[in-house]
Amino acid sequence: MANCVLVTGGAGFVGSHSVVELVAAGYSVVALDNLVNASMESMKRVEAITGKVIPAYTVDLLDKEALRDLFKKHKFTSVIHFAGLKAVGESCELPLLYYKTNVGGTMNLLEVMKENNLKNLIFSSSATVYGTPQYLPLDEKHPVGGCTNPYGKTKFFIEEILRDLSTSDPTWNIVLLRYFNPVGAHKSGTIGEDPQGPPNNLMPYIAQTAVGKRKELSVYGSDYDTPDGTGVRDYIHVVDLALGHVAAQKKLEENCGCKLYNLGTGNGLSVLDMVKAFEKASGKKVPHKICPRRPGDVGSCYANAELAEKELGWKATRGLDEMCEDLWRWQSQNPNGFKS
């Protein structure tokens, strides 16, 4: 039987790019998304890129019966779990919504997987679980749980649930992937990040400013202990990140138990580095103003991703110029995202 992967949140930014790479690697894929932060148009474009029909269902993980019905229709061999709310600021305003959606949705998914004796899972976690870095670069041994917002806490709690599950039943194979900052878009320019409302992340905001959709970029903090005073992060091309999930999928098939990997480049880049690189790629000015620091933001955060290279045979290979060029191609061809 061909490996059939259920991808939750498959119509989203990282989900859609991962579907493309999974299909390219020979997997059959079924996507599920509640479309709160995504559009089925992205799945149509994924089909155009891959030349394959990809069954895609509008299902919310909080609807357990709909999830059960989906498991009756298809025989899955593994699940890649992206679905969840992901805006840090919103999570501080609406913590109950975040806990219910992210943790509650995951509980339903795990219970339905268990009912169907399916015990292979890749979970989309986040570098936010590390909280304020005690040292850099961040490796997988760095303490976790000192999260600075409810979004990060939901990722941490889900990791803990999955660890407990694996300890209680070692026949589960689980790979936890802690991502750093995904940016860029597919080379075709037909799929990319399409934030609903004002972007919460730096690069979509820069791109929308360059394309004239936003007046200017707010740079929060210019007095951090970094080369130019602005915050430093580890930006990873979304296609590299997607390929990390293909590598993790292969790891699952080795009956790996519970494993944990950082997916990042290992390079820290500042806000102003990103602005300059994007101006170069787009040929547009990105007007910006310096604002006070935001509460909860850390000065620097970047990965040590050596373990993923050693155990998954995975490494980020796409650099800053490529990230910016691919993002600009997507943004300039789709100024209103999937609505254009």
Side-chain angles (χ1 to χ4, degrees):
M1 183 184 72
N3 282 326
C4 182
V5 183
L6 172 62
V7 177
T8 76
F13 176 43
V14 182
S16 59
H17 287 79
S18 296
V19 170
V20 169
E21 299 307 328
L22 284 161
V23 171
Y27 293 96
S28 80
V29 176
V30 174
L32 156 171
D33 205 296
N34 69 1
L35 304 182
V36 166
N37 281 318
S39 155
M40 272 302 169
E41 175 62 28
S42 78
M43 293 313 301
K44 288 184 196 143
R45 297 187 187 189
V46 165
E47 289 187 328
I49 291 166
T50 59
K52 292 272 197 296
V53 175
I54 294 156
Y57 297 86
T58 306
V59 171
D60 194 307
L61 292 180
L62 293 175
D63 184 346
K64 204 168 181 182
E65 286 314 308
L67 198 53
R68 284 187 173 124
D69 289 344
L70 186 57
F71 272 73
K72 284 183 191 130
K73 283 196 185 95
H74 298 274
K75 182 76 177 146
F76 302 118
T77 50
S78 64
V79 177
I80 302 184
H81 179 31
F82 295 105
L85 296 171
K86 59 172 191 179
V88 167
E90 183 184 63
S91 78
C92 298
E93 291 156 24
L94 302 167
L96 294 182
L97 177 67
Y98 270 67
Y99 287 120
K100 183 176 181 179
T101 304
N102 293 7
V103 182
T106 303
M107 290 301 300
N108 282 351
L109 175 65
L110 293 170
E111 284 165 1
V112 174
M113 285 177 71
K114 195 174 173 192
E115 286 166 15
N116 287 273
N117 199 33
L118 175 58
K119 297 180 176 180
N120 298 314
L121 177 73
I122 295 168
F123 174 56
S124 148
S125 191
S126 160
T128 53
V129 300
Y130 292 119
T132 303
Q134 294 176 18
Y135 59 82
L136 288 167
L138 292 163
D139 59 23
E140 291 82 355
K141 294 188 182 74
H142 186 285
V144 290
C147 311
T148 54
N149 54 73
Y151 160 70
K153 285 178 192 166
T154 66
K155 293 293 190 185
F156 170 64
F157 292 152
I158 294 166
E159 281 195 9
E160 291 292 289
I161 290 165
L162 292 172
R163 277 198 199 89
D164 289 344
L165 178 59
S166 169
T167 303
S168 73
D169 179 357
T171 62
W172 278 81
N173 296 300
I174 298 169
V175 179
L176 310 171
L177 297 177
R178 291 179 182 158
Y179 322 158
F180 284 71
N181 299 59
V183 297
H186 189 265
K187 268 280 175 275
S188 63
T190 56
I191 59 170
E193 191 166 8
D194 182 19
Q196 312 294 304
N200 291 293
N201 296 330
L202 174 67
M203 289 312 283
Y205 213 105
I206 288 179
Q208 289 188 7
T209 305
V211 89
K213 200 171 167 184
R214 308 260 162 216
K215 185 168 114 296
E216 64 183 354
L217 169 73
S218 298
V219 177
Y220 295 100
S222 60
D223 57 351
Y224 287 108
D225 183 16
T226 60
D228 62 19
T230 65
V232 164
R233 297 290 180 273
D234 188 333
Y235 295 93
I236 175 171
H237 197 296
V238 67
V239 174
D240 278 333
L241 188 55
L243 289 166
H245 291 78
V246 176
Q249 178 62 37
K250 294 194 168 88
K251 190 74 181 171
L252 278 187
E253 290 156 21
E254 298 170 9
N255 295 327
C256 60
C258 188
K259 296 283 188 180
L260 161 67
Y261 302 102
N262 283 337
L263 295 184
T265 64
N267 297 320
L269 294 161
S270 75
V271 175
L272 294 182
D273 288 335
M274 301 310 281
V275 169
K276 282 181 204 129
F278 199 82
E279 287 181 337
K280 180 181 152 201
S282 64
K284 306 273 181 191
K285 288 303 285 177
V286 177
H288 57 276
K289 62 174 180 189
I290 303 293
C291 304
R293 293 184 185 192
R294 278 185 306 202
D297 274 356
V298 300
S300 292
C301 177
Y302 50 93
N304 175 334
E306 287 168 11
L307 191 64
E309 184 175 3
K310 187 171 144 211
E311 294 193 9
L312 299 179
W314 172 91
K315 190 175 167 60
T317 60
R318 290 157 180 82
L320 177 58
D321 290 348
E322 193 170 350
M323 293 175 205
C324 292
E325 285 157 15
D326 292 345
L327 174 55
W328 177 241
R329 188 179 302 111
W330 152 255
Q331 189 70 60
S332 54
Q333 289 176 20
N334 303 272
N336 299 309
F338 289 112
K339 294 175 205 69
S340 44

